């Protein structure tokens, strides 16, 4: 799944680069409705990305933050997803403090943390 998400991120960046190129050259190019087509493409890509991201709810992610005074990266359990008007995707998370071996579940911090999806380095 990680490769699929990385492919989608790469494709979305290509769409943004393409949009930027055409916006800079639109006066020299005769493309009717190009802007609306690219915007629609970007919306479709965001919907596709969102569909794949829903699969990481209840999973653990790392964004590269180091633990204070410990080895290893901080880990976060994803509880939900939020989007912004400018199409950014944020994961709503709680830091994993440990694992309850008897109950077989994560021990989570009460503090809600928002992680920009583009910052995710690893998904478990």
């Amino acid at each position: 799944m990680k490769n699929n998400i990385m492919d989608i991120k790469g494709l979305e960046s290509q769409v943004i680069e393409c949009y930027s190129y055409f916006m800079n050259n639109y006066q020299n190019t005769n493309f009717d409705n190009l802007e609306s087509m690219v915007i629609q493409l970007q919306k479709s890509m965001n919907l596709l990305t969102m569909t794949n991201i829903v699969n990481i709810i209840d999973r653990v992610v790392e964004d590269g933050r180091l633990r204070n005074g410990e080895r290893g990266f901080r880990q976060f359990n994803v509880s939900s997803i939020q989007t912004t008007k400018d199409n950014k995707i944020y994961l709503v998370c709680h830091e994993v403090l440990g694992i309850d071996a008897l109950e077989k579940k994560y021990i989570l911090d009460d503090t809600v943390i928002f992680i920009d999806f583009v910052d995710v380095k690893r998904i478990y």
Side-chain angles (χ1 to χ4, degrees), residues 6-75:
M6 297 308 288
D7 291 341
I8 292 170
K9 284 183 185 179
L11 187 55
E12 186 174 5
S13 69
Q14 289 175 349
V15 169
I16 292 168
E17 182 180 338
C18 184
Y19 178 76
S20 175
Y21 171 80
F22 284 113
M23 287 305 295
N24 290 332
N25 296 296
Y26 75 94
Q27 292 175 339
N28 302 330
T29 308
N30 186 14
F31 290 99
D32 293 338
N33 302 321
L34 178 64
E35 182 177 7
S36 63
M37 290 170 55
V38 172
I39 289 171
Q40 185 59 41
L41 178 60
Q42 187 175 21
K43 287 180 182 178
S44 297
M45 289 303 304
N46 287 338
L47 182 59
L48 177 61
T49 301
M50 185 62 92
T51 302
N52 287 319
I53 290 176
V54 167
N55 293 323
I56 68 171
I57 292 177
D58 289 331
R59 303 218 13 221
V60 173
V61 299
E62 292 178 356
D63 67 352
R65 297 181 209 188
L66 292 173
R67 294 180 184 270
N68 292 331
E70 297 180 33
R71 292 180 64 176
F73 294 108
R74 293 171 63 187
Q75 296 181 333

Side-chain angles (χ1 to χ4, degrees), residues 6 21 95 105 108:
M6 297 308 288
Y21 171 80
E95 184 172 3
K105 65 179 187 176
L108 303 175

Side-chain angles (χ1 to χ4, degrees), residues 90-105:
Y90 288 93
L91 307 178
V92 181
C93 306
H94 295 272
E95 184 172 3
V96 176
L97 302 176
I99 298 175
D100 183 334
L102 295 175
E103 304 251 349
K104 296 183 180 178
K105 65 179 187 176

